């Protein structure tokens, strides 16, 4: 898509540094330079003000990535693109059947109501909960990684959704400050909300999280 639009050598493309390394690789493959921009801490998608700050006379495009089933603010980002004369591309996630999305939303609502000591995700319009991502504050004990290990020991299949920000990886390293991206990498943890989970499974997740979450500072 970048090549078809004429994006190439000498051009810059604004991309997120929070996950989806394949987007960065695609920009490089097209011959352009990826420019990393920070994320919104609620949606984990590109922050509009951050995108505007990253734009230079060489910017040709912005790649908007939807994250964890939570859509990016496409309307405001598109407005920025139109005003600055930029190509706006979207990188989406695979669609799930409606009944599966409905069941994930039901399980997510249960976790929203029951979880303590972790910061539950912003539901937002159109959230399909491809992943149910909470924040585990790093200023308590245990921290996110210890919290995850303890959950797994209790039979909860959790995982760290983004293990490293792209701008800190050796192949793509940039000297740029992206505080929300780096904080999200350190604090986020994906809990299961699969349609196959039973009520007992959900109760076990809540019980395990809350027994550990009490050791953390309250979520804000």
């Amino acid at each position: 898509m970048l090549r078809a639009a004429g994006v190439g050598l000498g051009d810059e493309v604004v991309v997120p540094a929070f996950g989806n390394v394949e987007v960065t690789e695609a920009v490089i493959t097209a011959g352009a330079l990826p420019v990393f921009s920070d994320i919104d801490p609620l949606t984990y998608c590109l922050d509009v003000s951050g995108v505007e700050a990253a734009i230079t006379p060489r910017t040709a495009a912005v790649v908007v990535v939807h994250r964890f089933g939570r859509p990016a603010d496409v309307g405001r980002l598109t407005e920025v693109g139109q005003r600055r004369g930029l190509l706006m591309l979207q990188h989406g996630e695979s669609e799930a059947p409606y009944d599966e999305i409905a069941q994930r939303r039901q399980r997510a609502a249960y976790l929203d109501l029951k979880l303590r000591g972790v910061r539950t995700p912003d539901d937002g319009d159109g959230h399909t909960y491809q992943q149910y991502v909470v924040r585990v504050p790093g200023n308590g004990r245990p921290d996110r990684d210890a919290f995850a290990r303890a959950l797994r020991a209790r039979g909860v299949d959790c995982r760290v959704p983004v293990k490293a920000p792209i701008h800190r990886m050796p192949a793509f390293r940039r000297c740029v400050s992206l505080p929300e991206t780096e904080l999200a990498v350190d604090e986020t943890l994906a809990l299961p909300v699969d349609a196959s989970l039973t009520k007992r499974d959900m109760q076990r997740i809540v019980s395990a999280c809350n027994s550990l979450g009490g050791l953390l500072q309250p979520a804000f």
Side-chain angles (χ1 to χ4, degrees):
M1 292 177 68
L2 290 166
R3 284 173 168 169
V7 176
L9 189 64
D11 291 326
E12 295 177 351
V13 179
V14 179
V15 298
F18 187 67
N20 294 94
V21 68
E22 68 272 13
V23 172
T24 299
E25 291 173 336
V27 172
I28 293 172
T29 299
L33 178 70
V35 174
F36 298 112
S37 184
D38 214 352
I39 58 170
D40 180 287
L42 295 180
T43 67
Y44 303 108
C45 305
L46 280 174
D47 176 69
V48 177
S49 60
V51 169
E52 290 208 80
I55 294 172
T56 74
R58 298 176 63 180
T59 305
V62 177
V63 180
V64 181
V65 180
H66 304 291
R67 185 77 60 201
F68 307 142
R70 175 69 158 82
D73 191 344
V74 176
R76 291 180 64 205
L77 289 166
T78 299
E79 189 276 329
V80 171
Q82 291 175 341
R83 178 159 40 84
R84 304 296 289 269
L86 305 176
L87 173 68
M88 302 295 291
L89 299 177
Q90 296 185 50
H91 182 73
E93 298 170 304
S94 58
E95 295 291 334
Y98 177 79
D99 59 341
E100 182 178 330
I101 292 174
Q103 291 182 64
R104 287 203 301 250
R105 284 174 171 160
Q106 184 182 50
R107 286 157 177 75
Y110 176 82
L111 294 179
D112 287 346
L113 183 65
K114 298 290 187 179
L115 287 176
R116 301 289 181 268
V118 296
R119 191 180 311 162
T120 55
D122 174 67
D123 52 8
D125 292 335
H127 203 323
T128 61
Y129 294 98
Q130 297 248 355
Q131 297 187 62
Y132 184 88
V133 177
V134 300
R135 294 277 194 130
V136 181
N139 57 355
R141 292 187 180 280
D143 63 12
R144 191 275 313 276
D145 292 336
F147 189 91
R149 288 192 295 271
L151 285 185
R152 294 186 191 110
R154 289 164 169 78
V156 176
D157 183 21
C158 61
R159 71 182 191 86
V160 175
V162 177
K163 295 183 179 179
I166 300 172
H167 69 294
R168 298 299 185 212
M169 295 179 180
F172 312 108
R173 188 174 296 277
R174 299 286 190 278
C175 184
V176 58
S177 175
L178 302 177
E180 294 296 347
T181 294
E182 296 189 15
L183 188 61
V185 168
D186 289 341
E187 291 187 347
T188 50
L189 185 67
L191 301 178
V193 286
D194 305 335
S196 61
L197 294 171
T198 65
K199 184 176 181 179
R200 180 171 293 183
D201 292 332
M202 300 304 296
Q203 290 171 338
R204 184 174 67 251
I205 293 168
V206 168
S207 177
C209 287
N210 288 357
S211 66
L212 296 167
L215 301 174
L216 300 168
Q217 292 190 1
F220 297 99

